[in-house]
Amino acid sequence: VENNANLASSLVKIGQPAAWDDPLIDQENADTGFWKHITFLKQYGLGVYFMAPFDPNKIPVLFVNGAAGTPKACKTLAESLDADRFQECVYYYPSGIRLNTLATALNKIINRLKRDHGFEKMGVVAHSMGGLVSRSFILKHLVEDGKGTVKVFVSYSTPWGGVAAAAKGVEQAPEVIPSWYDVDPKSEFLKKIYADSLKPTIPHFLFFGYRGDCSLVMANSDGTIEILSQLYMRAQDDAVFVRGQNEDHMSILESERSAEYLNMALEAAF
């Protein structure tokens, strides 16, 4: 599955309804998607879900969670949006799969949703590893497909420079999670997502956290991702706005300032 972007259609969910309290997106299932991604695919597939009935008068805003994450982590941010203007939707996927496969699948789903619903603009909001998946998707959509549907990209706490622990996991773990290959700081995937620029077409608002405990195995971090990776220079150079908060890897999604920043970015784009 990891090396085949042509996922069986029965596994792909395109615009199906969901809710923030849906058991489908419980943390237990998200954990399965990371550690037992094939099991997750067989049981749930992957796809983009609408958190309210589709309204052609609203602009879709897609939320993309990180590794072993669930869309529920983005609930506070999503609920801060103007419900009269924006359509909340989420990409729910097994995060143990290779990232290029996830990005390619997302691109195919968005193309299908565009055909089905006719929207011409959308925003993308991502957390942690979801930012890597999202940037890859956005570039496929923009550069490979020549479509300018994504008008703004907002990321929180993304390891833009990779995760050193993933490289060690690839070398030492008895069983390797496929997505670890792609978040290895020296991976071909990371090289590829910087081969093309988002500027000037798609404004990227890059937010990072810096509240983490001291660690003997990690440099200054948000408790999960090193600040050096969050502020990887190639990502900074391609962003229009960079701002940090005294938040850890998960609390950044709950802060009032994060919601303010998100709405500021959406207002600038739309």
Side-chain angles (χ1 to χ4, degrees):
V1 174
E2 296 80 71
N3 296 314
N4 183 6
N6 297 314
L7 295 170
S9 59
S10 62
L11 300 178
V12 181
K13 316 300 179 182
I14 302 176
Q16 294 188 3
W20 292 110
D21 61 353
D22 197 322
L24 170 70
I25 58 175
D26 283 350
Q27 185 60 53
E28 181 179 358
N29 292 337
D31 290 339
T32 299
F34 184 69
W35 296 106
K36 299 179 180 179
H37 45 280
I38 301 300
T39 299
F40 181 101
L41 273 177
K42 290 178 178 178
Q43 292 181 346
Y44 310 112
L46 59 73
V48 170
Y49 294 82
F50 288 125
M51 308 310 276
F54 181 81
D55 185 336
N57 297 312
K58 296 181 182 180
I59 300 168
V61 177
L62 177 70
F63 290 86
V64 185
N65 58 259
T70 163
K72 287 185 177 182
C74 300
K75 179 182 178 182
T76 298
L77 285 177
E79 292 185 339
S80 77
L81 304 185
D82 182 346
D84 293 328
R85 295 186 64 204
F86 298 110
Q87 175 93 49
E88 302 167 14
C89 51
V90 302
Y91 184 35
Y92 191 41
Y93 61 94
S95 59
I97 285 180
R98 298 298 294 264
L99 303 194
N100 184 65
T101 297
L102 295 172
T104 301
L106 178 56
N107 190 34
K108 291 179 181 294
I109 292 169
I110 294 300
N111 284 337
R112 172 66 181 276
L113 287 171
K114 277 174 55 66
R115 291 196 299 270
D116 290 350
H117 297 294
F119 60 86
E120 294 298 329
K121 54 188 177 181
M122 65 180 293
V124 177
V125 183
H127 178 238
S128 194
M129 190 187 79
L132 303 179
V133 174
S134 296
R135 182 181 174 99
S136 180
F137 146 65
I138 291 169
L139 289 173
K140 290 177 187 296
H141 199 67
L142 176 67
V143 178
E144 296 179 16
D145 292 354
K147 297 178 180 178
T149 314
V150 178
K151 302 299 183 183
V152 63
F153 175 35
V154 182
S155 67
Y156 296 90
S157 307
T158 291
W160 293 115
V163 180
K168 291 183 179 179
V170 169
E171 293 175 359
Q172 302 174 6
E175 184 174 351
V176 176
I177 302 299
S179 59
W180 288 353
Y181 290 107
D182 299 319
V183 295
D184 180 333
K186 296 181 180 180
S187 74
E188 289 300 316
F189 175 84
L190 289 182
K191 292 177 184 178
K192 186 173 182 179
I193 66 171
Y194 297 113
D196 294 293
S197 178
L198 298 175
K199 283 182 176 178
T201 308
I202 301 171
H204 176 198
F205 292 76
L206 188 159
F207 302 115
F208 67 98
Y210 51 79
R211 188 174 74 209
D213 296 330
C214 295
S215 171
L216 296 177
V217 297
M218 187 185 303
N220 293 340
S221 72
D222 65 357
T224 301
I225 303 298
E226 293 182 351
I227 297 172
L228 183 65
S229 182
Q230 294 184 68
L231 292 178
Y232 184 59
M233 193 54 66
R234 296 187 71 176
Q236 283 197 71
D237 287 343
D238 207 24
V240 299
F241 189 86
V242 179
R243 188 63 56 87
Q245 292 187 66
N246 183 23
E247 301 288 348
D248 64 32
H249 194 63
M250 297 306 298
S251 71
I252 196 170
L253 298 176
E254 300 289 336
S255 81
E256 292 183 6
R257 184 62 60 86
S258 288
E260 291 173 4
Y261 285 152
L262 172 57
N263 284 279
M264 173 195 71
L266 294 175
E267 188 64 30
F270 303 115

